[in-house]
Amino acid sequence: MLSDLELRSITGHESQKNFEGYIRIGISEQAQRVGDKIKAAMEAKKQVDK
């Protein structure tokens, strides 16, 4: 997936606040994304620690 910065550059939104007015991500989706990133970071750390 693309980051917010990449999407903003493609769509021409200069500010994060302006961009967020269009994406409308719900709290549960935000929580899922954070959880996914934490899980990926923990898995990557396990690979490094081996």
Side-chain angles (χ1 to χ4, degrees):
M1 290 181 76
L2 299 173
S3 70
D4 285 358
L5 181 58
E6 292 165 326
L7 288 171
R8 282 182 22 221
S9 70
I10 293 168
T11 61
H13 293 94
E14 293 183 13
S15 74
Q16 183 68 21
K17 185 174 183 175
N18 190 2
F19 177 69
E20 288 173 357
Y22 290 93
I23 58 173
R24 307 212 194 296
I25 296 173
I27 191 74
S28 61
E29 186 173 345
Q30 290 175 15
Q32 181 66 49
R33 287 182 180 188
V34 169
D36 291 345
K37 288 181 180 185
I38 290 170
K39 182 178 177 182
M42 291 174 68
E43 290 173 2
K45 182 171 179 357
K46 285 181 188 177
Q47 294 299 320
V48 170
D49 290 344
K50 284 185 177 180

